Structure formats: structure tokens, C-alpha cells
Amino acid sequence: MEPQEVDFAHTEGAAKRRREKAMGLARYVWDRGISGQELLDLTDSTLRKLAQAAGSNPPSTMETWLTVVELLDQKTAWAQRHPDHPAATPAHRDEKIMWVTPPVQPWT
């Protein structure tokens, strides 16, 4: 009888740790006013730096970042339903430019 192979990246414990990491990253990203699409547009290098700035080891797979995007979408929807709540406004929106380069306006 051969031992069954275990996919350690997809165990219940791994999924829980991935979700916890994603929640911490999502909080940091949300507070900077970065949207899910903007996050997906960042380079791998920038994502690693962003995770480190958030106090987290950079995720080893895109799966965690996709969970962050889902959480950001949920938070955005919640914020739209509760615009007067203090948590509906990113606290450090001015830091967004450190991560997301705004589009260059052409000379006219």
C-alpha cells in the first residue's frame, strides 16, 4: 500500500493561514485606497514590497492575492452601502501614490 500524497498547500490549515494573511494584506491595501484591479495590475516586485510594508511575508502564490482582491471588493461594496461610517474611508489614501502610479496626463 502506497502512502497517499498530501497537497500541503491546500489543507484546511493552509487555507486558514492564507485567509488570515489575505485579511491583513487587504486591511493595509484598503487603507491606501488601492482597488482590487489596481492590485492585480502591480508587478510581482511591487506586490512583494507591498506585503513587506504591510508587515507580512510576501505570499508565495497568486492565490493569496486573489483572496485579497475578493476581500477588497467586499469592503468596497460595504463602504458604498455605509458611506457615513468612519471605516468606509481609507485612512491613508495619500500613500496610494507610493504603490500605484497615476496615469500620465498628455500635454495638450
Side-chain angles (χ1 to χ4, degrees):
M1 180 178 223
E2 289 185 34
Q4 289 188 346
E5 291 188 31
V6 176
D7 180 4
F8 291 105
H10 294 94
T11 63
E12 193 173 311
K16 181 181 178 203
R17 288 186 295 278
R18 188 179 304 109
R19 178 109 174 137
E20 288 170 358
K21 180 181 275 194
M23 288 186 73
L25 290 168
R27 282 187 194 100
Y28 186 86
V29 172
W30 166 261
D31 276 343
R32 273 114 197 113
I34 300 170
S35 72
Q37 185 57 56
E38 289 169 330
L39 185 70
L40 291 175
D41 290 341
L42 297 178
T43 65
D44 289 343
S45 173
T46 303
L47 289 173
R48 281 191 300 278
K49 290 175 187 174
L50 184 61
Q52 291 167 343
S56 179
N57 287 327
S60 57
T61 67
M62 196 63 189
E63 195 170 354
T64 303
W65 289 114
L66 293 174
T67 303
V68 172
V69 170
E70 290 174 18
L71 292 169
L72 290 173
D73 290 346
Q74 291 172 12
K75 177 74 174 199
T76 299
W78 176 88
Q80 290 171 346
R81 290 190 310 273
H82 303 90
D84 297 329
H85 194 284
T89 304
H92 303 287
R93 189 180 293 264
D94 57 326
E95 294 179 21
K96 178 178 181 174
I97 197 165
M98 294 171 51
W99 306 106
V100 178
T101 307
V104 177
Q105 297 296 324
W107 292 86
T108 56

